[in-house]
Amino acid sequence: MDEDRKLGGGAIASIFGLGVLLIFVFQNTADVRFHFLVLDFTWPLWLYTIVVAVFGALVWFGLGVMRRHRRRKARRAERRG
């Protein structure tokens, strides 16, 4: 099994995005104060950036799963009738 393994476009974009995120995190170490409704708290900007990035990745992944599920249901319905 000596197949040439190449990185796809999505993998390259993900690695690049992770690198940019890490550079941004290391450059932005100040604290940020948040006011939301009755919540008032302070977080380091790097932590906030990572939390938002992870949340965004989960939403992106979830939307992809939902799309695949809809397409599978549509294909099954086509085969049945």
Side-chain angles (χ1 to χ4, degrees), residues 54-69:
V54 167
F55 181 73
L58 289 174
V59 169
W60 184 260
F61 179 74
L63 290 174
V65 168
M66 287 174 35
R67 179 174 173 255
R68 280 192 302 268
H69 180 69

Side-chain angles (χ1 to χ4, degrees), residues 3-70:
E3 296 179 12
D4 289 333
R5 293 192 178 211
K6 297 180 182 178
L7 287 177
I12 293 171
S14 296
I15 292 169
F16 179 76
L18 182 63
V20 169
L21 178 64
L22 286 173
I23 290 169
F24 184 82
V25 164
F26 287 123
Q27 287 183 347
N28 294 285
T29 57
D31 286 343
V32 178
R33 188 173 195 156
F34 294 95
H35 305 281
F36 180 70
L37 299 176
V38 296
L39 299 174
D40 187 17
F41 56 95
T42 303
W43 267 8
L45 184 56
W46 64 267
L47 179 62
Y48 173 73
T49 304
I50 290 175
V51 168
V52 170
V54 167
F55 181 73
L58 289 174
V59 169
W60 184 260
F61 179 74
L63 290 174
V65 168
M66 287 174 35
R67 179 174 173 255
R68 280 192 302 268
H69 180 69
R70 276 194 311 254

